[in-house]
Amino acid sequence: MFHPRRTLRALLPPLVAGLALTTLPAPTATAAAALTNGGFESDGSGTATPTGWSEYGDTAASYTESGGRSGSLRLSHWSSSAYRVETYQYLSGLANGDYKLTAWVRSGGGQNAAYIALKNCGGAEQRTDLPVSASGWIRIVVPVRVTASQCTISVHSDARAGNWINVDDLTFAPGTSGLSVKGADISSLPKSEARGGVYRTASGSAGDPVAILRSAGMDYARLKVWVNPADGYNNKPRVLAMAKRIKAQGMKLLVDFHYSDTWADPGKQYKPAAWAGHGYGQLKKDVYDHTYDVLSALRAQGTTADMVQVGNEINGGMLWNEGSTANWAQLAGLLNSGYDAVKAVSPSTVAALHLAEGGDLDGTRWWFDNAVSHGVKFDAIGLSYYGYWHGTLHDFQTTLDDAATRYKKPVFLAETAYPFRLDSDDGLENIIDLDGELVPGYPASTTGQTRWMNDVASIVEAVPNGRGLGVFYWEATWTARDGNGWDPADPSSGNGWENQALFGYDDRALPGTAWFRHR
């Protein structure tokens, strides 16, 4: 589990019995100011201590072997019995400043801890956990500020019998990383509170959930907008009221236009009833007017939107059938109407386009290649990625990196979530409620939920050229309340998502809220 800004002083005695893996032997005189043998290619397969590296702990569990990411060899940690081992390299003579370690990793999961750390650098230790990825390589980064002209690069495993990791192609160079967006969609909150929903701190004190999430580190909130929903929620007046609460907590605001009276997603992009008979020309005006109306009202009350989604999960287009991807020229016109309205209200507001299926490289390329060729204007790309539906973490990283590089735009994870348990807190079956639906290596537990969020955040943080903006958790506050369900026209519907909220069945903020403190 990621521990931001956890400071471990050099030579600190171990707090528990066992190996003091934070206490390294004195550095050797061969230490250099540049990383040596970061690809583990300097030795043959089976080398216990690769050139330039040192080991501490159960050293037999650390060795090189064939199957490197780009070369012939890689570093592996594995043993048939439980083990704790650290493979490390000490650098000295460094110019003080900001540095970033980049590494390619794989892990079978199951460890008590498996991470790469930068420590003894003069300030707080920084570490990044290894995401669970049994086949595809994942790139992770670890930033640090060197203030003592030295730094130790550490590959650490505290593992059970049979657990394994692979590490390869490490680089250590000047640079920084981190996320500017650590957010959540809290659109469900007003209706939950109206139906008696209570939210508590981890210690059990009742409080304002927006303030509770802010205190956990959340810095951005996402709100969806429907045109004329049956239940009177997620419309302009409700969004205006929520925006005041969000901005009062010092958070930024993302407004997510669905251009519908109900949910819009890849399977349904239906026009709002008030626009039902409108042709393409009128629909362009509808999109502009609705977008401008909501955003200008937000600006007028002092809560200007910081980011806007022009459409929600528009893989198949929006405002069917006129705005279907079967007619890209018209879809482009509708999207540009939304973009123009965003900029007319506030030129500095980021206008994003949002697709689902964040692990679908080919589909994402097809969509954005068409958007670019038809002159669609956008500032950023948002992708939904749910690991139980949208491919592996490797697939997600590949798609996200490609979008950032191919279109030279910032990218963000617009929606993700993970269950902290499988059973239901209301009468409706949960959407994810079976062990077989889970992502391997991520149990349905508070620990599994927290690890999932930190690992997807690490993948966004590692997007090349600093183009990874951040992550939005989807529906952090959607706890089980009668009538606050999926169907706005059904006052008795349940939601099937309460096991993926960031508040537990006892209404307390979950350990998973710790992900908001990711770098």
Side-chain angles (χ1 to χ4, degrees):
M1 200 177 300
F2 176 71
H3 299 281
R5 309 195 187 284
R6 179 178 177 184
T7 303
L8 294 176
R9 298 187 185 277
L11 305 180
L12 182 72
L15 300 178
V16 296
L19 293 169
L21 290 181
T22 59
T23 306
L24 296 176
T28 66
T30 58
L35 176 64
T36 300
N37 194 20
F40 304 98
E41 298 295 317
S42 296
D43 315 278
S45 183
T47 300
T49 307
T51 297
W53 294 86
S54 301
E55 293 177 336
Y56 189 62
D58 297 317
T59 56
S62 175
Y63 50 89
T64 59
E65 63 179 342
S66 61
R69 188 192 75 91
S70 61
S72 300
L73 302 175
R74 67 194 184 204
L75 175 72
S76 293
H77 286 180
W78 175 86
S79 177
S80 59
S81 56
Y83 63 95
R84 297 178 72 190
V85 69
E86 184 171 26
T87 307
Y88 67 94
Q89 186 168 150
Y90 170 76
L91 303 180
S92 67
L94 294 170
N96 289 335
D98 292 320
Y99 289 83
K100 181 171 69 175
L101 179 78
T102 301
W104 290 86
V105 301
R106 299 192 298 196
S107 172
Q111 299 91 346
N112 299 314
Y115 59 83
I116 296 181
L118 297 175
K119 56 189 182 180
N120 307 323
C121 309
E125 175 183 342
Q126 295 292 320
R127 57 172 70 168
T128 301
D129 289 336
L130 272 63
V132 179
S133 179
S135 55
W137 291 90
I138 301 286
R139 186 183 56 260
I140 58 173
V141 296
V142 192
V144 76
R145 175 159 291 175
V146 173
T147 60
S149 302
Q150 63 180 19
C151 197
T152 299
I153 298 166
S154 168
V155 181
H156 174 108
S157 290
D158 177 359
R160 300 177 174 90
N163 293 163
W164 61 269
I165 66 169
N166 301 149
V167 178
D168 205 359
D169 295 339
L170 281 75
T171 58
F172 184 75
T176 60
S177 70
L179 300 177
S180 60
V181 175
K182 288 161 280 192
D185 194 308
I186 53 173
S187 299
S188 62
L189 180 57
K191 194 171 182 179
S192 174
E193 291 176 325
R195 282 157 174 72
V198 174
Y199 297 86
R200 302 182 184 277
T201 64
S203 60
S205 302
D208 175 5
V210 183
I212 292 170
L213 291 169
R214 176 59 174 158
S215 68
M218 178 170 147
D219 61 14
Y220 228 117
R222 178 180 188 253
L223 299 175
K224 67 174 173 280
V225 188
W226 291 338
V227 176
N228 188 24
D231 61 358
Y233 285 87
N234 301 299
N235 58 10
K236 176 185 168 184
R238 301 284 186 178
V239 167
L240 288 171
M242 276 298 295
K244 287 184 177 179
R245 292 175 63 181
I246 289 161
K247 292 281 188 168
Q249 291 295 333
M251 289 193 276
K252 291 185 175 181
L253 172 65
L254 165 59
V255 179
D256 173 17
F257 285 93
H258 284 229
Y259 301 113
S260 182
D261 291 334
T262 186
W263 304 96
D265 56 46
K268 49 189 180 295
Q269 293 281 342
Y270 303 128
K271 290 192 284 282
W275 307 355
H278 295 180
Y280 169 63
Q282 180 61 41
L283 286 171
K284 280 204 297 183
K285 186 175 187 302
D286 293 334
V287 168
Y288 186 97
D289 290 348
H290 171 61
T291 306
Y292 187 91
D293 178 49
V294 173
L295 296 180
S296 60
L298 285 166
R299 182 188 62 190
Q301 69 172 15
T303 59
T304 300
D306 300 281
M307 192 186 308
V308 169
Q309 285 179 212
V310 180
N312 185 79
E313 295 190 334
I314 51 176
N315 301 60
M318 65 184 196
L319 294 168
W320 289 347
N321 288 317
E322 286 79 359
S324 163
T325 50
N327 190 335
W328 260 103
Q330 291 191 173
L331 174 58
L334 295 169
L335 293 172
N336 282 340
S337 279
Y339 181 93
D340 290 344
V342 172
K343 297 301 181 176
V345 173
S346 169
S348 64
T349 295
V350 175
L353 296 177
H354 171 213
L355 300 187
E357 301 174 19
D360 180 6
L361 174 64
D362 291 342
T364 303
R365 273 188 179 181
W366 174 85
W367 199 96
F368 277 99
D369 282 357
N370 271 288
V372 170
S373 69
H374 286 89
V376 175
K377 294 175 284 190
F378 61 100
D379 303 326
I381 293 171
L383 299 177
S384 295
Y385 171 68
Y386 296 95
Y388 36 74
W389 293 328
H390 297 153
T392 66
L393 288 169
H394 173 76
D395 294 334
F396 171 56
Q397 181 169 68
T398 302
T399 305
L400 193 69
D401 288 357
D402 184 77
T405 302
R406 191 176 181 88
Y407 308 107
K408 297 180 171 55
K409 300 288 186 180
V411 295
F412 62 98
L413 177 48
E415 295 182 19
T416 192
Y418 207 77
F420 62 92
R421 59 196 291 173
L422 292 176
D423 62 316
S424 179
D425 193 31
D426 59 17
L428 185 67
E429 179 181 342
N430 290 334
I431 290 176
I432 302 298
D433 65 348
L434 299 173
D435 279 323
E437 294 172 311
L438 299 173
V439 180
Y442 297 90
S445 65
T446 56
T447 298
Q449 183 185 57
T450 308
R451 285 180 174 169
W452 175 261
M453 288 309 300
N454 275 316
D455 289 350
V456 294
S458 293
I459 286 172
V460 179
E461 183 186 11
V463 171
N465 300 308
R467 289 196 174 110
L469 292 177
V471 178
F472 288 93
Y473 195 91
W474 196 71
E475 282 293 7
T477 54
W478 206 0
T479 54
R481 301 304 305 172
D482 289 344
N484 189 19
W486 284 97
D487 185 355
D490 179 1
S492 65
S493 70
N495 75 33
W497 201 263
E498 73 272 12
N499 67 324
Q500 299 192 65
L502 289 179
F503 290 84
Y505 292 3
D506 59 359
D507 302 324
R508 297 185 183 205
L510 290 166
T513 57
W515 90 264
F516 289 121
R517 295 189 292 277
H518 196 98
R519 285 182 297 269

